[in-house]
């Protein structure tokens, strides 16, 4: 008796030849998991899921997962580049503080996990690299602002005023 084959399209564009499970697909092509039984409940459980949070470096915040207080703050955020760089720097410092607290909590456990501590330390290094990039970006913004205010605009205004005076007088 021949086993039923999965048949899913593989990377080579040929049908998969692995044995199919109950739903007609192999374990690699979706045969093992049937997904959540209650789809609505599953969507709610994923909303703001923090179960897999290790260090917070890649934590994503979507508008629909924000608290009411965070939504108010979100609408107060400035879009001015200087303010953005300043805010990002401050948030990075807070992120590092939170990660340092996580390291401290791990170290206080009866059996600290050195791998978890190293992971958090690596994340801190990445945040520090982002801070260095922010400092460079801030320097570029300052230079751009200096170039914009090099007096050329004031000279243009003077030329236009003289031209108006010439035509009016």
């Amino acid at each position: 008796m021949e086993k039923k084959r999965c048949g899913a399209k593989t990377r080579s564009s040929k049908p998969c030849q692995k044995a199919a499970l109950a739903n007609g697909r192999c374990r690699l092509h979706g045969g093992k998991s049937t997904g959540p039984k209650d789809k609505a409940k599953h969507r709610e459980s994923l909303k703001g899921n923090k179960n897999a949070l290790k260090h917070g470096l890649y934590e994503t915040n979507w508008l629909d997962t924000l608290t009411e207080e965070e939504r108010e703050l979100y609408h107060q955020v400035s879009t001015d580049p200087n303010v953005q760089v300043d805010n990002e720097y401050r948030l990075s410092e807070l992120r590092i503080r939170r990660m340092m607290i996580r390291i401290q909590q791990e170290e206080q456990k009866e059996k600290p996990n050195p791998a978890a501590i190293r992971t958090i330390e690596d994340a801190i290094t990445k945040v520090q690299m982002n801070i260095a990039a922010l400092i460079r970006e801030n320097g570029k913004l300052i230079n751009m602002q200096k170039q914009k205010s090099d007096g050329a605009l004031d000279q243009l205004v003077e030329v236009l005023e003289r031209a108006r005076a010439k035509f009016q007088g």
Side-chain angles (χ1 to χ4, degrees), residues 66-150:
L66 300 178
T67 65
E68 192 59 40
E69 181 183 15
E70 289 172 330
R71 285 181 191 196
E72 289 176 23
L73 290 171
Y74 171 83
H75 292 292
Q76 294 174 10
V77 172
S78 172
T79 56
D80 177 82
N82 293 316
V83 175
Q84 284 287 322
V85 168
D86 185 55
N87 286 344
E88 194 60 39
Y89 178 80
R90 291 170 191 253
L91 288 172
S92 294
E93 290 295 332
L94 290 172
R95 182 174 282 141
I96 288 174
R97 181 181 178 276
R98 286 182 175 182
M99 287 188 266
M100 294 295 289
I101 290 170
R102 288 185 183 113
I103 288 174
Q104 188 178 37
Q105 289 170 343
E106 186 64 37
E107 288 174 339
Q108 290 173 352
K109 290 180 179 177
E110 191 175 311
K111 288 187 174 183
N113 182 350
I117 293 171
R118 270 193 308 278
T119 301
I120 297 169
E121 288 171 343
D122 290 345
I124 289 172
T125 301
K126 289 178 183 178
V127 172
Q128 289 171 330
M129 289 170 51
N130 289 341
I131 289 173
L134 285 171
I135 292 169
R136 283 192 300 274
E137 187 67 28
N138 195 35
K140 289 178 186 176
L141 286 171
I142 290 170
N143 285 338
M144 285 173 50
Q145 289 169 348
K146 283 180 184 176
Q147 289 173 357
K148 285 182 183 177
S149 62
D150 65 355

Side-chain angles (χ1 to χ4, degrees), residues 30-48:
K32 200 148 188 146
S33 173
T34 59
K37 303 298 179 219
D38 185 356
K39 300 284 186 197
K41 187 176 180 181
H42 179 65
R43 273 194 296 274
E44 281 302 311
S45 69
L46 287 179
K47 187 177 178 182

